[in-house]
Amino acid sequence: MRIDILTILPQLLESPFSDSILKRAQTKGLVEVHLHDIRSYSTNKHNKVDDTCYGGGAGMVMTIQPIADCIDKLKSEREYDEIIFMTPDGELLDQPMANQLSLKKNIMMLCGHYKGIDERLREKYITKEVSIGDYVLSGGELAAAVLSDSIIRLVPGVLNDETSALTDSFQDNLLAPPVYTRPSNYKGMEVPPVLLSGNFKEIDKWRTEKALERTKARRPGLINKGEE
Ligand code: ADE
């Protein structure tokens, strides 16, 4: 899989991709992440990438030219399955969306800033608009990092057995059950005895019960999500 991220702040995105699982995915050759500085595509003599809003009003709008040139160049090099714009008015990211995107080959992500991007860019190039939650970030970069992380960890071979995504919260519309590790007694706080019993049928049953209990208490809407 290849992810191309278009941003005016490439340095902001360097660290999330240089550590831990996202780094390992790239070192293993399973995923390529390329950051593109939109400003370097600007033909303006001051490398401007934004301008005032037609019709008046506060806030700047990202201009068409540098973004269009960057997208056109990338599209001339390979076909993209999705060109995603990170925006608070996009479709809400959830686990099924991450699952679907993890099957794609080439994905572009465009990070917005200021008041947004010129609407004509959205009409011409964008195939999917994604929000990571109902709140407004200063720019799309952190959202693109979140979306990338949710996708990359699902690419086959990225996680090993111990970190397997199959037991994640949300994979079966349930939150994950509680987990424990050594010691079995910490200052009088004990691990549920069933987990020490070695009876895997009982352990599975206990985990399912706890996952259901937790989901009902915290996210009841998830339980019938498929039917909503
Ligand atoms: N850009 C600003 N806020 C955002 C959000 N909540 N999701 C995606 N992109 C954003």
Side-chain angles (χ1 to χ4, degrees), residues 78-112:
R78 70 197 60 77
E79 274 195 24
Y80 284 87
D81 301 299
E82 295 285 6
I83 303 182
I84 300 174
F85 177 44
M86 304 310 305
T87 174
D89 58 12
E91 188 187 337
L92 268 183
L93 170 62
D94 59 8
Q95 195 61 46
M97 189 199 286
N99 292 347
Q100 276 166 18
L101 290 173
S102 72
L103 304 172
K104 307 285 184 194
K105 194 158 171 263
N106 297 315
I107 297 175
M108 219 189 286
M109 296 182 193
L110 171 61
C111 307

Side-chain angles (χ1 to χ4, degrees), residues 79-183:
E79 274 195 24
Y80 284 87
D81 301 299
E82 295 285 6
I83 303 182
I84 300 174
F85 177 44
M86 304 310 305
T87 174
D89 58 12
E91 188 187 337
L92 268 183
L93 170 62
D94 59 8
Q95 195 61 46
M97 189 199 286
N99 292 347
Q100 276 166 18
L101 290 173
S102 72
L103 304 172
K104 307 285 184 194
K105 194 158 171 263
N106 297 315
I107 297 175
M108 219 189 286
M109 296 182 193
L110 171 61
C111 307
H113 261 261
Y114 317 116
K115 275 274 147 217
I117 60 172
D118 191 301
E119 188 66 19
R120 291 165 289 182
L121 281 167
R122 292 169 88 150
E123 286 162 6
K124 172 150 189 214
Y125 293 107
I126 301 301
T127 60
K128 191 174 184 70
E129 305 197 323
V130 176
S131 164
I132 63 158
D134 289 338
Y135 42 82
V136 179
L137 302 166
S138 319
E141 284 74 14
L142 297 179
V146 168
L147 177 61
S148 301
D149 187 309
S150 74
I151 296 171
I152 291 172
R153 62 197 300 286
L154 299 172
V155 170
V158 169
L159 298 184
N160 49 35
D161 271 358
E162 276 149 44
T163 48
S164 166
L166 292 174
T167 53
D168 284 347
S169 280
F170 302 112
Q171 278 303 8
D172 43 12
N173 275 343
L174 288 180
L175 301 181
V179 290
Y180 300 84
T181 187
R182 286 180 188 83

Side-chain angles (χ1 to χ4, degrees), residues 7-8 37-42 46-50 66 114:
T7 166
I8 55 166
D37 186 356
I38 293 169
R39 204 174 290 282
S40 71
Y41 285 82
S42 175
H46 302 295
N47 290 338
K48 241 171 90 104
V49 291
D50 62 338
Y114 317 116

